[in-house]
Amino acid sequence: MGKKKCVAMLLAGGKGSRLSSLTKSLAKPAVPFGGKYRIIDFTLSNCTNSGIDTVGVLTQYQPLVLNSYIGIGSAWDLDRKNGGVTVLPPYSESSEVKWYTGTASAIYQNLNYLKQYDPEYVLILSGDHIYKMNYELMLNYHIEKGADATISVIEVPWPEASRFGIMNTDDEMRVAEFEEKPAYPKNNLASMGIYIFNWSVLKEYLEMDDRNPESSHDFGKDIIPLMLDENKRLFAYPFNGYWKDVGTVKSLWEANMDLLDDECELNLFDHDWRIYSVNPNHPPQYISTQAEVAESLINEGCTVEGEIEKSVLFQGVLVGKNTVIRESVIMPDAVIGENVYIEKAIVPSGMNIPDGVVISASEEDDEIILITQEMIQGICS
Amino acid sequence: MKKRMLGVIDATTYHEDLEELTVHRSLAAVPFAGRYRLIDFVLSNMVNSDIESVAIFPKYQYRSLMDHLGSGKNWDLNRKRDGLFFFPSPLLDSPSKGIGSFNHFAANLDYFYRSKQEYALISNCFTVFNMDFRPVLDRHIMTGCDITVVRQDGRSLEMYLVKTSLLINLIENRNETGYTCMSDVVTDIHHSYTICNYEYTGLAVMIDSIENYFAASIGLLEPEAWKNIFLRSQPIYTKVKDEPPTRYMKGASAKNSMIANGCMIEGTVENSIISRGVKIGKGSVVKNCIIMQKTQIGENCVLDSVILDKDVKVESGARIEGRHEMPLVIRKGTVQGALMNS
């Protein structure tokens, strides 16, 4: 294997339990987003667009969908002779089977993967977020600062700061203190879970962490605080732009709705920073004579005979006559019958909504309905 | 019992009546149905019929065709064994009367010698259809015919099934027999071959003029028609692009239209086929039109019965109207000002 300047390690084993039934049989990074994509497409496309061609993808929870989706990485131009994408599942050793118990242990167990490329820098990413970011700029910043580690941060509204891992920095952006979900935040710079480490430093600290039986083997909880204790040079890299953790049904819905907003910073139509994805082969969408579509995002392979307003339709969705869909997200290959009314809901992949079903949240309730098979059976019985 | 048929696609055809769409590209590469090129239909049919070796014989302007086909990956034809072969004509001006020029094949006889497939299916590149060729082969073998011609209502669809050995024979002896192509053989009354017909009953349109290109495109808006062409079990493959889903903005309206990905629609679209990456501005009305890739239509335009080729720019306020029976074709890359066609 040829030497690489920077290798990315993408943590994609998350369960995303707050996404409820959406992550019952697939990992959070594989959850569909934006009418066409899966969440992980954003991070993988960022890698390609930033000139990073070697990416280890660490999987653990329900990996089937994710593994077959990633394949050999050709969708993101990551099918390379030297480097490219490598899926890294947990494995057994002669003495024991080692699950990934934390973010740091996942990387530690794949040190051999990194050693093959003998990189100068290692970029740690998470496959759970929707954002467009040029990692090359972050790497340049890391080099300029002469840092041991750099953590990407985003300004969050003060009232929400106590929900995040907060970086307290000096004027030079050097991190003085890291506080996980502080009750009284001193700063509003939240960690985005994106780290660049000098390879030699990372290796040293991961090995140290592995020997510590008290450690939870987590970057935020263990590695970063230990490095700060030992006075290593840690810097915060401020990121401006759209960044969203789509960890709940509501935030997943909101992020989809953001795409329909003219003011939204997340532009999927930017040809200079394309978001790549596996492109299934579908004919163009067919909008029938009875249909009405407004302020929506609709993918190929859809057949629309009803009224669509402020909604996102993934590939292969069928919408019957006299059906109204408002402010909803309809995932791939869902079949919506005739005379159906759906408002503020998420319809999961492949679900069949029979004729005449009405689904909408009550006025005062601003929750988003995630439609389940049981719900449909309840309505129809 | 796979690997029994070779696919041979004659992509040399040039129809003068389609000149306006074939200035920059070969007929095989003419865009169709919003995201396809004409060759996608026959090529996908071959792949869906278990054909794993396809030879394409192009002539004229084949840059866009090569760009479209690439390594054949999108048709699963980037194989170590067999796969996609590209044989541009070394004879630029040898006129060919019919599909499957033996002269053109002769220059690449090695391909036929080396192939192990017992049968060869020779086809034109400009038919819009979704057909399984396996039943043709079954019939061909069962009847023991030398040549099977695929027909619809008696008319030849210019697709022929023969034994590869017979094809080699016809190519090698072309000077003695005087046959220049497959249709010469089939239409000769003195030959000694058994010719059989295979009647195809599905939808098949051979594109040979602007009028029938337009009619076939708009005709695809009939659900019965597109359901006949776009089958989930036998998909039509094409070169995929990483375009986002199409976005309908405030004030947009679409009816009875087929729309590909990556479009931004603020105006009204009716009875039209819209290709990938098209922009339609506020207040514009597009009716009975075929709009090809990346064409941009400004605000408050009126377009009726027009074929806009790729990368056309229509300035705000322009009014362009053709007739339904004779649509207007706007050439690739041109700019249409507001006053030019008023």
Side-chain angles (χ1 to χ4, degrees), chain A residues 34-37 74 259-262 268-269 271 274-277 279-289 291-301 303 316 333, chain B residues 33-36 73-74 221 223 226 230 232 235-238 240-250 252-264 276 294:
Chain A
K36 165 167 193 182
Y37 311 93
S74 15
L259 296 172
L260 306 177
D261 182 355
D262 290 337
L268 297 177
F269 286 77
H271 283 185
R274 272 187 205 266
I275 303 303
Y276 299 101
S277 65
N279 287 282
N281 214 313
H282 282 289
Q285 54 188 272
Y286 174 71
I287 311 293
S288 87
T289 312
E292 277 179 54
V293 285
E295 292 179 81
S296 292
L297 207 53
I298 303 180
N299 199 3
E300 288 170 339
T303 303
D333 301 315
Chain B
R35 63 192 287 275
Y36 304 93
K73 194 177 168 60
N74 286 306
L221 296 174
W226 63 257
F230 301 119
R232 283 207 177 180
I236 303 298
Y237 301 100
T238 189
V240 296
K241 301 266 168 80
D242 287 274
E243 293 286 353
T246 277
R247 191 165 162 210
Y248 296 89
M249 332 274 274
K250 221 175 207 154
S253 158
K255 287 211 189 306
N256 195 37
S257 293
M258 204 161 251
I259 300 169
N261 266 359
C263 297
M264 285 180 110
R276 295 188 271 209
K294 290 190 185 157

Side-chain angles (χ1 to χ4, degrees), chain B residues 25 64 71 77 191 225 229 291 329:
Chain B
R25 54 173 87 90
S64 63
S71 64
L77 285 172
H191 67 67
I229 298 290
I291 317 272
V329 182

